[in-house]
Amino acid sequence: MGKKWHEQSTEEVMKALESSRRGLSGPEAARRLAGHGPNRLVEKKKRSLAMMFLDQFKDFMIIILMGAAVVAGAIGELTDTLVIMLIVVVNAVIGFVQEYRAGKAMDALKAMAAFQAGAVRDGVVSHIPATELVPGDVVILETGAVIPADLRLVEAAMLRVDEAALTGESFPVEKMTKAMDGPGVSLGDRLNMGYKGTIVSYGRGVGLVVATGMSTELGKIAGMLQDEEEVRTPLQKRLAVFGRRLAIAVLVICAVIFTMGFVRGVEPLFMLLTAISLAVAAIPEALPAVITISLALGARKMVARNALVRKLPAVETLGSVTYICSDKTGTLTENRMTVEEIYKDGVTMGSGDPLVEKDGYLLTAIALNNDAVSDGNGNIIGDPTETALYRVAAAHDCEREIVERKMPRVAELPFDSERKCMTTIHRMGDGRFVSFTKGAVDSLIDRLVLGESGEKAASRDEIVKVGDGMAKRGLRVLLYAVKEWDVLPEPVAPGTVETGLTFVGLAGLLDPPREEAKDAVALCKEAGIRPVMITGDHPLTAGVIARRIGIIADGSNQAVMTGRELEGLSDVELEEGIDEVRVYARVAPEQKLRIVKALQKRGEFVAMTGDGVNDAPALKRADIGIAMGITGTDVSKEAAHMILLDDNFATIVNAVREGRKIYDNIRKFIRYLLTTNSGEIWTLFLAQMAGFPVPLLPVHILWVNLITDGLPALALSAEPAEGDIMKRKPRHPKESIFAHGLGVQAFWVGLFMAVLVLAVQYFAIYGKVGQWQTMVFTVLCLTQLGNCLAVRSEKQSLFKQGLFSNKPLLGAVTLSFGLQMAIIYAPGLQKIFHTQPLNMSQLGVCIAVSSLVFFAVETEKMFRRIGEKKGAMPNPR
Ligand code: ATP
């Protein structure tokens, strides 16, 4: 066997993999992808479709029902058996389709949340799905990235990798590119390799893919990491418990009904079939699947509006958010930086002014201390701060690439949000070195040697004053400094390099607030949600922007708190004062965690945005952690519950709105299902108590169940958001799904339905109206449809909502009505369902009586509205 990857030089590896620094060509990559397969760990075998379908029959009650139906067929009516079987199959198909759709929607979400990798193909960096990487690909590594495949590193700038996932070693390992000796070096000691699934915790690098998918070291141990268990949402968990209890209660009631019928001398088999049908109908076995669909489809809608949900529970908990803590740059602002002002040699000027590079270093510093690159077609690629500065230098004939030819970069200290600065070191023509540092004024001011280079040199006070002046105009201020070296500082570290610097100048960059941010902030406040800005930027800059978009209300004493002030506070003091703070400036990412905790201690439900590696703990801890899709690191995305594909604050607010709507609709669905089931149970139970003949045949019960569990219920999830959805206060996260009278309503509406049904039964039998069973069956069915229309809103009347504002539902109700009519009037169906045609007055009575349920629920809503008007209070946010 030849040398292992870590023993070979980078050139050898390049050659062995037939690649170069320009990466592979498109066709070559495609060829290799076909050969090696996608770069993913092989997943567990999925359940086949057939199995999924068969699983629908596994339900205990369904098996009993089928058994009973077969027995019934054996001793008598074969049609009954067939109809019951048919209904069971249709039920299974509905269940199957629901489960399949839920699974598909979840898969689609997962695929969208998959990682991208920056790969060099044909000499150009492009972002491709990490699954498409092949051996030989050249991959760019940035801080916060999850390494997408096994790599031999060919470039490492202070690159540190957290390999805990693979080796268990919790300290990040500093990487290098030199070949190493000995094949026996353990994985953790192979310093020139990067392994799939580990995390770049610092620095920058480039690696050559040597293994993908199951051939990677992670792939070899993948079996252990396979089981990504399905997380159930709080609602799903609660409903599962509720479902079990309900099932037991229903079974008890059914047993009682059966016993009573038996004692009264009804034929036992018929009574048994009735009781079982009722149990099948009243146990809401479809509930979990329907909830998953509502959430997953809701999540899909959210993606269309740029909010990608990674963890399903977020969809439902979004509605409870009381605080949104948002980054500034790129989220509340556009992250389209332009250099507005330059300060140099005691003068502040516009960036367009001819800055003649005579004796100063400023333009050279701006050009060289820069990570943006030109793609050769006039596009500048990189972080907006960097590209803006690149452009300014280039506009003054100081293009980075050209200047760098004379002064190549030999070392660097990459930017990090803790130091708030970055440094590059260059070799000069005479063999000496120069370092350029740029960063926040307050971070660098104490590292300057001031007042030494003649009288023109700015004083500390002067620099701070000019900087603050720019910040008050809403600009982000960067200070440039320089230092010359005879020999390269050793080691290249912040402590040795970023000290004793000479001031060069200031640059003020404007990043305008996003247009939609102002409206979104106003909407938040109306919805009882408090928006708060957390930024690494200067307090003055942050304060100005916060006022412009309304986060700080005009004329209020709402405050800006700096990271340093925050540091000085105890946890208790922080909790006490936190109510008034609207902006946190110059905060280190670690402090975000403290803010989240303090808010949560006060009972707030916190959404928090973040993009860096260090944001991950705060994102995890927040009730809704939100990562940035464009600027966010893999690590932050992995920790987040939701990803903003457009990095936009307004998208969060839209997602909250969508979350509230989805929860509302789930409640509507549950309300409908429970009233329906309670109606069926009450009917059969009270009939037994009153000594009436059993009002419905098993097929009738199953049919009503099919109608209610079927289309109308699903159409409820298409219900548009109610008008007041962003005017209400956030829902308390622990609030029961049965809150606000849902449970009580299911109880009384069901009872009311039963009373109506039994009244019809009574008068039809004793008034000799005839066809009593068909009438009872019809009334029960139609009351459900009326109820379905009425539960569309908790408060608003249907007439205000408009019959046509949910067309799927109207269609479903109309279709169900049509089917019911067919069952009554079509001779073929009459035989199957044991119905007789109703004459006009009989049908008229049925429709009139059924509509009473609709009016009763509407009346309740009216009282609710009146009650609310009396107790109305404006949201205090
Ligand atoms: P947020 O998204 O939290 O609002 P931010 O952009 O304000 O983030 P950072 O990106 O951490 O915060 O920047 C913090 C400070 O670091 C800035 O105020 C600026 O002074 C400095 N800084 C930002 N980008 C650079 C850069 N590319 N080079 C040097 N210094 C920088």
Side-chain angles (χ1 to χ4, degrees):
M1 213 179 121
K3 283 201 279 184
K4 293 205 164 156
W5 297 120
H6 66 275
E7 298 174 85
Q8 302 181 25
S9 71
T10 53
E11 291 77 19
E12 283 174 301
V13 183
M14 287 274 183
K15 218 164 131 209
L17 291 167
E18 292 171 41
S19 185
S20 72
R21 290 303 292 265
R22 289 181 50 78
L24 301 171
S25 69
E28 175 61 17
R31 201 183 57 75
R32 292 190 190 188
L33 187 61
H36 289 270
N39 174 33
R40 85 163 67 99
L41 304 181
V42 176
E43 283 181 32
K44 262 193 311 199
K45 267 245 168 71
K46 283 224 173 114
R47 211 156 38 125
S48 70
L49 293 185
M51 273 315 286
M52 208 174 186
F53 183 69
L54 288 180
D55 276 353
Q56 306 296 325
F57 297 95
K58 265 199 193 153
D59 189 79
F60 182 63
M61 292 314 301
I62 297 281
I63 295 174
I64 303 259
L65 178 66
M66 289 192 297
V70 169
V71 176
I75 56 168
E77 292 255 13
L78 202 63
T79 20
D80 268 10
T81 312
L82 290 178
V83 175
I84 291 176
M85 288 300 196
L86 192 69
I87 288 182
V88 166
V89 170
V90 173
N91 227 329
V93 170
I94 293 178
F96 169 78
V97 170
Q98 286 172 348
E99 204 175 300
Y100 179 76
R101 279 179 72 192
K104 268 272 168 313
M106 288 302 295
D107 285 349
L109 283 181
K110 264 191 214 150
M112 274 182 283
F115 289 130
Q116 300 266 313
V120 184
R121 294 251 172 108
D122 292 313
V124 190
V125 180
S126 52
H127 285 270
I128 59 170
T131 49
E132 288 175 18
L133 288 177
V134 292
D137 259 326
V138 175
V139 174
I140 312 287
L141 297 177
E142 280 164 348
T143 310
V146 172
I147 296 188
D150 283 3
L151 311 171
R152 171 69 168 83
L153 298 169
V154 295
E155 213 179 296
M158 294 193 67
L159 183 66
R160 287 208 283 272
V161 179
D162 176 351
E163 296 185 332
L166 204 60
T167 62
E169 172 60 51
S170 56
F171 275 104
V173 186
E174 177 123 21
K175 293 290 182 180
M176 55 163 206
T177 58
K178 273 207 306 268
M180 299 177 73
D181 282 338
V185 182
S186 71
L187 280 190
D189 291 331
R190 292 181 191 172
L191 299 181
N192 54 19
M193 299 287 292
Y195 292 105
K196 184 177 172 73
T198 60
I199 292 164
V200 179
S201 58
Y202 197 84
R204 222 169 42 74
V206 177
L208 193 67
V209 176
V210 296
T212 58
M214 292 307 279
S215 320
T216 60
E217 296 298 331
L218 186 69
K220 291 179 194 160
I221 54 165
M224 306 190 310
L225 302 165
Q226 284 284 319
D227 296 305
E228 200 186 308
E229 96 274 30
E230 193 121 347
V231 238
R232 290 213 279 176
T233 74
L235 183 63
Q236 284 173 323
K237 282 187 210 150
R238 267 186 275 159
L239 283 177
V241 175
F242 166 73
R244 272 199 298 277
R245 288 200 195 130
L246 186 69
I248 293 172
V250 168
L251 287 179
V252 170
I253 296 172
C254 289
V256 170
I257 291 176
F258 171 76
T259 320
M260 287 169 79
F262 186 73
V263 170
R264 286 175 49 209
V266 186
E267 192 205 329
L269 188 68
F270 170 72
M271 210 50 236
L272 182 68
L273 213 52
T274 305
I276 294 171
S277 301
L278 181 61
V280 169
I283 296 174
E285 63 284 324
L287 204 52
V290 173
I291 304 294
T292 311
I293 299 187
S294 301
L295 294 173
L297 291 185
R300 214 161 68 182
K301 263 208 205 119
M302 286 166 142
V303 172
R305 304 186 68 182
N306 288 321
L308 173 62
V309 171
R310 282 194 69 246
K311 297 181 182 155
L312 210 51
V315 180
E316 113 194 13
T317 45
L318 264 170
S320 298
V321 166
T322 62
Y323 252 84
I324 302 180
C325 301
S326 169
D327 284 347
K328 172 176 71 73
T329 311
T331 314
L332 290 164
T333 65
E334 296 196 356
N335 206 4
R336 265 199 286 127
M337 303 264 177
T338 46
V339 180
E340 292 278 300
E341 296 179 14
I342 297 271
Y343 171 81
K344 177 177 175 256
D345 298 335
V347 195
T348 305
M349 47 198 141
S351 69
D353 286 339
L355 297 164
V356 188
E357 184 77 347
K358 266 194 302 200
D359 46 358
Y361 258 131
L362 186 59
L363 273 182
T364 319
I366 295 179
L368 289 178
N369 182 303
N370 198 299
D371 280 334
V373 286
S374 160
D375 71 351
N377 303 323
N379 301 320
I380 317 297
I381 300 163
D383 177 80
T385 303
E386 300 290 303
T387 55
L389 291 160
Y390 182 106
R391 286 209 178 85
V392 166
H396 294 93
D397 290 328
C398 244
E399 261 168 49
R400 174 183 165 192
E401 283 85 358
I402 295 170
V403 189
E404 232 169 42
R405 255 174 251 153
K406 279 184 285 175
M407 301 170 77
R409 191 189 286 197
V410 290
E412 66 189 283
L413 294 167
F415 172 75
D416 85 64
S417 48
E418 224 137 306
R419 278 172 31 249
K420 297 189 171 52
C421 65
M422 65 182 264
T423 298
T424 58
I425 305 180
H426 305 262
R427 180 181 291 114
M428 296 193 284
D430 57 7
R432 291 167 69 244
F433 300 91
V434 60
S435 67
F436 296 108
T437 304
K438 82 162 180 304
V441 177
D442 35 335
S443 304
L444 292 178
I445 194 89
D446 292 331
R447 300 172 175 271
L448 298 177
V449 183
L450 289 162
E452 282 185 347
S453 39
E455 54 194 34
K456 265 178 85 185
S459 70
R460 180 195 159 93
D461 289 350
E462 163 87 6
I463 296 172
V464 172
K465 203 177 103 205
V466 174
D468 283 357
M470 287 184 182
K472 275 186 200 145
R473 291 190 283 279
L475 301 181
R476 150 173 292 194
V477 191
L478 292 177
L479 183 152
Y480 277 91
V482 65
K483 185 168 180 175
E484 294 185 4
W485 307 79
D486 291 331
V487 289
L488 208 57
E490 185 64 48
V492 179
T496 50
V497 179
E498 288 164 352
T499 176
L501 309 174
T502 306
F503 176 71
V504 178
L506 299 176
L509 291 88
L510 180 70
D511 179 16
R514 280 180 184 266
E515 193 123 338
E516 57 280 34
K518 200 168 176 177
D519 290 342
V521 164
L523 196 60
C524 271
K525 292 185 173 174
E526 217 178 20
I529 302 166
R530 183 169 291 171
V532 160
M533 176 195 283
I534 303 186
T535 175
D537 227 332
H538 194 282
L540 287 172
T541 315
V544 172
I545 306 277
R547 268 189 199 91
R548 276 188 207 159
I549 52 182
I551 285 188
I552 297 185
D554 282 333
S556 70
N557 56 349
Q558 294 160 347
V560 180
M561 182 184 275
T562 64
R564 189 162 303 164
E565 285 162 0
L566 184 67
E567 213 175 271
L569 296 180
S570 71
D571 284 348
V572 178
E573 286 168 324
L574 176 60
E575 275 165 48
E576 276 167 7
I578 209 160
D579 242 12
E580 281 308 312
V581 185
R582 293 294 184 279
V583 174
Y584 298 86
R586 283 282 187 256
V587 212
E590 292 76 16
Q591 293 180 313
K592 284 186 172 179
L593 186 60
R594 270 193 78 193
I595 299 172
V596 174
K597 282 187 182 162
L599 286 172
Q600 286 177 334
K601 264 256 177 77
R602 291 190 56 113
E604 304 287 354
F605 201 79
V606 186
M608 160 84 75
T609 70
D611 49 13
V613 195
N614 305 341
D615 290 333
L619 294 186
K620 262 200 194 132
R621 172 71 193 233
D623 299 289
I624 306 274
I626 304 170
M628 297 298 145
I630 304 170
T631 57
T633 56
D634 293 350
V635 175
S636 65
K637 287 180 190 169
E638 214 166 53
H641 304 90
M642 190 170 104
I643 299 175
L644 291 187
L645 298 179
D646 60 355
D647 290 13
N648 189 346
F649 178 78
T651 301
I652 308 177
V653 185
N654 278 337
V656 167
R657 184 189 148 91
E658 196 64 29
R660 287 188 177 190
K661 184 187 101 183
I662 293 167
Y663 192 84
D664 267 13
N665 288 354
I666 290 178
R667 258 175 67 96
K668 285 170 196 172
F669 174 77
I670 293 176
R671 182 190 297 271
Y672 176 59
L673 208 66
L674 289 186
T675 36
T676 300
N677 292 354
S678 108
E680 287 164 346
I681 291 183
W682 278 123
T683 303
L684 282 141
F685 183 69
L686 292 182
Q688 288 297 333
M689 296 289 281
F692 287 6
V694 178
L696 297 153
L697 297 178
V699 283
H700 298 157
I701 301 172
L702 293 171
W703 173 252
V704 172
N705 181 45
L706 204 61
I707 287 206
T708 52
D709 271 5
L711 292 176
L714 271 187
L716 274 176
S717 67
E719 193 58 43
E722 294 186 35
D724 70 340
I725 198 152
M726 289 304 264
K727 296 200 173 85
R728 304 179 208 151
K729 283 201 201 114
R731 166 178 59 87
H732 193 280
K734 295 242 163 65
E735 179 183 290
S736 151
I737 186 90
F738 305 108
H740 311 300
L742 193 151
V744 178
Q745 201 191 38
F747 189 83
W748 82 253
V749 176
L751 186 60
F752 185 53
M753 283 173 180
V755 168
L756 293 178
V757 168
L758 296 181
V760 168
Q761 186 182 13
Y762 182 85
F763 288 111
I765 293 177
Y766 298 101
K768 306 255 183 311
V769 181
Q771 271 57 305
W772 67 264
Q773 194 164 52
T774 303
M775 286 182 78
V776 163
F777 175 35
T778 306
V779 170
L780 185 67
C781 184
L782 298 189
T783 49
Q784 310 307 327
L785 301 182
N787 184 34
C788 188
L789 290 173
V791 298
R792 282 186 49 196
S793 168
E794 273 182 37
K795 279 173 279 187
Q796 216 178 24
S797 89
L798 177 68
F799 304 108
K800 186 139 186 231
Q801 264 183 316
L803 205 52
F804 294 97
S805 55
N806 184 348
K807 292 206 183 80
L809 189 111
L810 190 62
V813 168
T814 315
L815 182 68
S816 304
F817 183 80
L819 288 174
Q820 184 67 21
M821 292 304 112
I823 284 179
I824 301 175
Y825 294 109
L829 293 173
Q830 284 169 356
K831 224 193 251 147
I832 295 175
F833 284 92
H834 305 278
T835 51
Q836 292 93 30
L838 300 179
N839 62 32
M840 271 307 143
S841 52
Q842 286 167 333
L843 183 65
V845 168
C846 287
I847 293 177
V849 171
S850 307
S851 64
L852 290 180
V853 168
F854 170 78
F855 289 114
V857 177
E858 283 292 346
T859 310
E860 193 205 14
K861 289 199 283 190
M862 192 177 74
F863 281 118
R864 215 176 266 248
R865 287 196 294 275
I866 294 170
E868 204 147 277
K869 236 184 223 147
K870 275 192 197 141
M873 258 193 324
N875 284 325
R877 292 276 153 167

